[in-house]
Amino acid sequence: MIDFKSEEQAQLQLVERDDLEDEEDCFESIEKLISQGINAGDVKKLQDAGIYTCNGLMMHTKKSLTGIKGLSEAKVEKICEAAEKLVNYGYITGSEVLLRRKSVIRITTGSQALDELLGGGIETLSITEAFGEFRSGKTQLAHTLCVSTQLPISMHGGNGKVAYIDTEGTFRPDRIVPIAERFGMDAGAVLDNIIYARAYTYEHQFQLLLGLAAKMSEEPFRLLIVDSVIALFRVDFTGRGELADRQQKLAQMLSRITKIAEEFNVAVYMTNQVIADPGGGVFISDPKKPAGGHVLAHSSTIRLMFRKGKGEQRVCKVIDAPNLPEAEAISSL
């Protein structure tokens, strides 16, 4: 997508988390539990289980916490009580919610038309799902976001690093180079600020998500890309007999993705495939719908449909969003 022109040339210089003076920490480190009387060894057990913040701890059920080796029910009760003193998880006013929403960062897509459609770009604290046929522009946008996320906030970037989980083998670092040059950024530095993992099974995909907490608690990440979210589930689960189990495992993974977005104030961009809808009828010109069913539909904050337009044009339509009207935008590859 090349209809966006940066107003100035920007060399990449990500600030370290310790130097983020203007941004209030969006999470409390799990190590602060030690000051509340929790044993350092128990804190280490939580970290080994992929829990690095008090916010993340409160997103786990007590049942799942007692499943961690070495943590009894009594210990879990004590840990949760200590965490509640550090993190307010009760009711707050609408005014306070509005104040928290000010921490949302909108990351440019590189297309002015698409940015206007999305109210400024891809939002942090949200999951943006893009579905469509092959060659409709979903992965192309993922590559562009890998670069634009690293722009300064003053240039509609996120001033942060990118985590990329690839389930289909479609990530191309050589594609990042011309995109970085277009934004006036150093391609080598941009690539160094992208952490990449190739997932081969749905279990591997889930483990990669669990391992992200450690990295995001130490470094300033602003974007998680999962391309695609459903591919491995369609391979590893077959037939209607395994459908219920598949949807349950998919729901657990999507819950983890949602928690990452809210725990670390990152934007999540995930691509989805389409399936033919035999019940679409002869009167529907394009009877295709996104894979994943209602489980995936309800997990996405913003749902976008991509389709091919004339020539190199791609059409993006907002299907579902809490604060955006249904509308379309045309961009160029």
Side-chain angles (χ1 to χ4, degrees):
M1 299 178 184
I2 56 173
D3 54 331
F4 175 88
K5 301 291 184 184
S6 59
E7 296 175 0
E8 53 183 300
Q9 296 292 300
Q11 289 300 318
L12 182 68
Q13 189 175 5
L14 291 180
V15 293
E16 293 302 320
R17 186 167 294 286
D18 294 340
D19 299 331
L20 290 172
E21 295 176 1
D22 297 333
E23 183 184 346
E24 186 181 350
D25 266 347
C26 58
F27 55 80
E28 298 284 351
S29 170
I30 199 79
E31 291 173 351
K32 290 186 179 180
L33 288 176
I34 297 172
S35 65
Q36 298 291 322
I38 302 302
N39 185 287
D42 291 337
V43 171
K44 179 69 168 60
K45 289 169 187 171
L46 291 171
Q47 290 175 327
D48 290 342
I51 303 169
Y52 284 81
T53 72
C54 293
N55 306 59
L57 174 69
M58 299 303 288
M59 292 175 183
H60 284 73
T61 63
K62 289 179 181 178
K63 181 182 177 182
S64 69
L65 292 172
T66 52
I68 298 171
K69 189 176 180 181
L71 293 185
S72 63
E73 285 187 23
K75 279 186 177 180
V76 167
E77 284 286 347
K78 189 178 177 184
I79 288 168
C80 289
E81 285 175 12
E84 284 171 9
K85 293 176 183 176
L86 295 169
V87 182
N88 176 24
Y89 261 75
Y91 290 103
I92 59 174
T93 66
S95 298
E96 289 174 299
V97 176
L98 182 62
L99 198 62
R100 286 187 181 182
R101 288 288 298 170
K102 288 185 178 179
S103 66
V104 171
I105 297 167
R106 289 175 174 82
I107 300 164
T108 179
T109 61
S111 164
Q112 192 170 353
L114 197 47
D115 282 352
E116 289 174 3
L117 179 74
L118 297 174
I122 302 291
E123 283 188 0
T124 59
L125 292 174
S126 298
I127 295 178
T128 301
E129 175 204 346
F131 70 89
E133 287 186 283
F134 60 94
R135 281 202 74 244
S136 58
K138 307 183 301 293
T139 299
Q140 173 65 29
L141 178 56
H143 282 71
T144 303
L145 287 170
C146 281
V147 180
S148 64
T149 298
Q150 301 181 42
L151 285 168
I153 291 173
S154 61
M155 293 181 66
H156 308 292
N159 194 46
K161 297 188 176 187
V162 179
Y164 198 119
I165 296 176
D166 184 2
T167 67
E168 297 180 305
T170 51
F171 177 72
R172 294 293 179 269
D174 46 304
R175 185 72 195 93
I176 297 292
V177 176
I179 299 172
E181 290 171 352
R182 171 193 148 204
F183 281 103
M185 302 169 76
D186 177 69
V190 167
L191 286 167
D192 286 342
N193 284 314
I194 301 170
I195 62 168
Y196 168 84
R198 174 77 163 94
Y200 292 97
T201 67
Y202 82 93
E203 293 169 325
H204 184 202
Q205 187 176 346
F206 191 76
Q207 286 303 314
L208 289 169
L209 287 169
L210 289 178
L212 270 181
K215 298 181 183 299
M216 289 187 173
S217 64
E218 294 171 357
E219 297 179 280
F221 280 82
R222 273 293 169 264
L223 178 69
L224 165 62
I225 294 172
V226 184
D227 184 22
S228 87
V229 68
I230 196 71
L232 297 176
F233 286 87
R234 296 179 79 176
V235 172
D236 295 340
F237 295 90
T238 55
R240 287 191 174 275
E242 294 186 339
L243 184 60
D245 192 27
R246 185 193 87 164
Q247 293 303 88
Q248 185 183 40
K249 294 291 194 297
L250 178 61
Q252 289 171 351
M253 193 194 66
L254 290 166
S255 173
R256 180 63 196 159
I257 291 173
T258 302
K259 289 168 184 174
I260 288 172
E262 296 188 14
E263 188 178 349
F264 298 104
N265 191 23
V266 300
V268 176
Y269 174 77
M270 60 185 192
T271 67
N272 190 13
Q273 300 172 347
V274 292
I275 56 175
D277 184 8
V282 294
F283 299 107
I284 299 176
S285 59
D286 191 21
K288 298 182 186 70
K289 60 182 183 180
H294 295 297
V295 166
L296 191 48
H298 290 302
S299 298
S300 304
T301 316
I302 299 160
R303 202 162 216 209
L304 307 175
M305 181 178 73
F306 280 79
R307 70 175 191 271
K308 300 166 191 171
K310 294 179 181 178
E312 292 297 301
Q313 289 185 338
R314 296 295 181 266
V315 181
C316 175
K317 182 179 181 180
V318 174
I319 299 296
D320 179 37
N323 58 340
L324 299 171
E326 279 195 20
E328 289 187 353
I330 299 173
S331 54
S332 300
L333 284 177

